Amino acid sequence: MRGSVEHSWGWGHCAPSPLLLLTLFLFAAPFGLLGEKTRQVSLEVIPNWLGPVQNLLHIRAVGTNSTLHYIWSSLGPLAVVLVATNTPHSTLSVNWSRLLSPEPDGGLMVLPKDSIQFSSALVFTRLLEFDSTNVSDTAAKPPGTPYPPYSLADFSWNNITDSLDPATLSATFQGHPMNDPTRTFANGSLAFRVQAFSRSSRPAQPPRLLHTADTCQLEVALVGASPRGNRSLFGLEVATLGQGPDCPSVQEQHSIDDEYAPAVFQLDQLLWGSLPSGFAQWRPVAYSQKPGGRESALPCQASPLHPALAYPLPQSPIVRAFFGSQNNFCAFNVTFGASTGPGYWDQHYLSWSMLLGVGFPPVDGLSPLVLGIMAVALGAPGLMLLVGGLVLLLYHKKYSEYQSIN
Ligand SMILES: *[C@@H]1O[C@H](CO)[C@@H](O)[C@H](O)[C@H]1NC(C)=O
Ligand SMILES: *[C@@H]1O[C@H](CO)[C@@H](O)[C@H](O)[C@H]1NC(C)=O
Ligand SMILES: *[C@@H]1O[C@H](CO)[C@@H](O)[C@H](O)[C@H]1NC(C)=O
Ligand SMILES: *[C@@H]1O[C@H](CO)[C@@H](O)[C@H](O)[C@H]1NC(C)=O
Ligand SMILES: *[C@@H]1O[C@H](CO)[C@@H](O)[C@H](O)[C@H]1NC(C)=O
Ligand SMILES: *[C@@H]1O[C@H](CO)[C@@H](O)[C@H](O)[C@H]1NC(C)=O
Ligand SMILES: *[C@@H]1O[C@H](CO)[C@@H](O)[C@H](O)[C@H]1NC(C)=O
């Protein structure tokens, strides 16, 4: 089972070429030097004094010459607006009466407007569930017969203020469907844990995505909800704004190193434009246990992004408020797990992490362990060549001396 998972993810059986090893080796060092930057990060829940309380979380990360704003909200489907500005003084301005109105355009602004270098948004529109009972092909798309999806616009959410943790710079949106006639979420919830960072580091839990002060991590966890079938696979539908007529693409990066996420040799990356721009990145792995490990790793599949004009997506008021009534939405599905192997059904638990950021995406250098192995592997033949060369040289010298005596 484990073998087949490795196989479908990547490199299981092909040995990387020496040239590739060398390029990876050469490029690992300079990238490793980046990400030393620190930021002053603050998390603020923006209250609506005048009306119904809604979760609006503002993460502000201030650097020497720039400010990043991550604005998360469960108003409508869960969404985040990310904005990068070239000043340490930019601020967020919220007009609640406009934001909550049917025409929220302009209800959310980052000022001054001309300091904005990049902005985009992600909207988590629906929780998908598929019956994979009769699916034997682990790469099948979709991975089974879909059940009616749960629209995240129809979820009720916890009070984000209660989950705010300034020590870890994190907060958790925890929700369940408002109408739940079959009581599948009677004991369950879908949680989005959002975390910002003041400096570059790596969490203790797999997939241990390397983060920087320019990024924000999202950990999605489905816990305790009753699946509608014996072999239910879950997924998330995610929408974003295209930067032009085309949708952003998801790129796959491969590595020979799986020290931080065992058996995962791939990193998926959504880039909104040519670098440096905004990005989302994730390892194509989810976990069916907490803490995650090799045994509970589930392969993830991301579909390509498609223009979302063809079908109605739940609309996010904060996205509309910031961007106006744009219609260049693109959407993709991420599905977690395969019909065989570990799954949500084991413990009714599933978690998946994603990193969201601006600038150059963090690139994993090779881990010390792999560098050590490479040094030995590259070193042994090198040493043999050197010794061989010396021997030849000496032999040649001896031979020529012999010749000359003769
Ligand atoms: C959320 O919690 C905060 C602080 O505990 C409180 O002031 C606020 O009224 C709460 N909001 C709701 C909707 O209960
Ligand atoms: C910040 O901006 C100033 C002036 O524009 C520039 O000299 C300095 O190098 C910048 N610092 C960083 C860290 O980018
Ligand atoms: C907020 O929006 C409302 C409705 O568009 C407008 O009447 C009001 O002046 C705005 N408030 C501020 C402080 O701009
Ligand atoms: C799976 O296959 C069996 C036998 O072919 C069939 O009876 C059943 O309806 C199928 N289930 C689904 C969900 O397609
Ligand atoms: C929810 O949990 C309680 C207590 O653990 C259990 O009795 C009940 O059957 C569960 N309900 C569902 C829908 O799983
Ligand atoms: C789930 O499995 C149980 C026991 O193996 C079986 O009785 C039941 O019919 C299955 N349910 C579905 C929806 O396949
Ligand atoms: C995601 O999956 C659902 C259920 O199969 C489907 O209706 C929807 O069109 C898919 N969306 C994308 C963007 O592929």
Side-chain angles (χ1 to χ4, degrees), residues 226-247:
S226 310
R228 285 173 277 183
N230 287 343
R231 292 266 143 176
S232 272
L233 300 183
F234 287 90
L236 272 180
E237 184 182 59
V238 187
T240 181
L241 278 171
Q243 297 285 303
D246 299 326
C247 284

Side-chain angles (χ1 to χ4, degrees), residues 183 186-187 226:
R183 298 185 49 75
N187 291 333
S226 310

Side-chain angles (χ1 to χ4, degrees), residues 352-402:
W352 174 71
S353 307
M354 155 191 263
L355 210 62
L356 198 61
V358 178
F360 289 99
V363 175
D364 266 320
L366 294 177
S367 64
L369 179 69
V370 168
L371 282 180
I373 293 170
M374 273 170 57
V376 171
L378 289 176
L383 211 66
M384 278 166 77
L385 268 176
L386 199 71
V387 170
L390 276 175
V391 165
L392 265 179
L393 209 73
L394 288 175
Y395 178 78
H396 186 75
K397 203 167 170 212
K398 216 172 166 187
Y399 185 70
S400 32
E401 274 166 11
Y402 179 74

Side-chain angles (χ1 to χ4, degrees), residues 11-335:
W11 288 55
H13 301 278
C14 35
S17 76
L19 185 66
L20 183 73
L21 276 179
L22 204 64
T23 11
L24 280 173
F25 188 65
L26 291 177
F27 279 97
F31 278 128
L33 295 177
L34 291 177
E36 286 300 308
K37 268 199 314 197
T38 61
R39 288 182 182 273
Q40 289 279 331
V41 181
S42 60
L43 274 71
E44 185 195 7
V45 176
I46 299 179
N48 175 19
W49 301 115
L50 304 171
V53 182
Q54 294 286 353
N55 285 333
L56 187 65
L57 173 71
H58 178 209
I59 300 176
R60 187 163 182 265
V62 184
T64 38
N65 280 355
S66 64
T67 306
L68 307 180
H69 301 267
Y70 293 95
I71 304 136
W72 293 86
S73 182
S74 56
L75 186 56
L78 194 99
V80 56
V81 170
L82 66 153
V83 183
T85 64
N86 63 1
T87 157
H89 306 297
S90 60
T91 55
L92 174 70
S93 154
V94 182
N95 182 334
W96 273 105
S97 61
R98 196 173 287 186
L99 181 58
L100 297 176
S101 77
E103 300 274 317
D105 306 35
L108 210 62
M109 283 188 285
V110 168
L111 302 171
K113 271 192 169 165
D114 60 7
S115 70
I116 297 176
Q117 305 295 299
F118 174 81
S119 60
S120 193
L122 281 183
V123 187
F124 298 87
T125 45
R126 294 190 283 197
L127 175 67
L128 310 169
E129 186 177 351
F130 302 91
D131 177 5
S132 72
T133 316
N134 286 350
V135 180
S136 51
D137 177 8
T138 53
K141 287 174 192 175
T145 321
Y147 290 103
Y150 298 100
S151 170
L152 296 199
D154 303 329
F155 267 44
S156 104
W157 300 90
N158 67 330
N159 184 344
I160 189 77
T161 311
D162 299 336
S163 69
L164 203 66
D165 182 3
T168 55
L169 302 176
S170 69
T172 305
F173 293 86
Q174 193 171 7
H176 54 85
M178 269 185 279
N179 298 312
D180 190 12
T182 53
R183 298 185 49 75
T184 49
F185 273 78
N187 291 333
S189 69
L190 180 66
F192 291 79
R193 182 172 183 266
V194 173
Q195 187 175 15
F197 309 98
S198 55
R199 55 175 45 79
S200 178
S201 179
R202 196 190 291 281
Q205 299 300 325
R208 307 197 64 195
L209 287 171
L210 177 67
H211 56 245
T212 67
D214 298 340
T215 63
C216 196
Q217 181 172 287
L218 171 68
E219 188 189 326
V220 183
L222 178 67
V223 185
S226 310
R228 285 173 277 183
N230 287 343
R231 292 266 143 176
S232 272
L233 300 183
F234 287 90
L236 272 180
E237 184 182 59
V238 187
T240 181
L241 278 171
Q243 297 285 303
D246 299 326
C247 284
S249 58
V250 173
Q251 303 175 346
E252 293 174 359
Q253 291 194 344
H254 295 271
S255 149
I256 55 163
D257 191 351
D258 74 336
E259 186 168 350
Y260 300 116
V264 188
F265 296 91
Q266 190 179 320
L267 184 70
D268 289 355
Q269 215 156 257
L270 184 158
L271 303 175
W272 274 286
S274 53
L275 287 172
S277 75
F279 62 85
Q281 82 176 191
W282 63 90
R283 295 253 178 207
V285 61
Y287 295 96
S288 64
Q289 273 176 40
K290 188 178 187 160
R294 206 180 216 279
E295 294 71 28
S296 61
L298 319 176
C300 295
Q301 308 271 347
S303 73
L305 276 84
H306 293 299
L309 282 173
Y311 56 99
L313 284 176
Q315 294 293 307
S316 162
I318 63 160
V319 174
R320 176 88 188 271
F322 187 85
F323 292 96
S325 46
Q326 299 197 12
N327 57 3
N328 54 339
F329 279 95
C330 299
F332 67 107
N333 284 345
V334 198
T335 51

Side-chain angles (χ1 to χ4, degrees), residues 132 227 229-233 337-349:
S132 72
N230 287 343
R231 292 266 143 176
S232 272
L233 300 183
S339 55
T340 57
Y344 179 78
W345 47 80
D346 292 331
Q347 305 201 351
H348 289 190
Y349 178 87

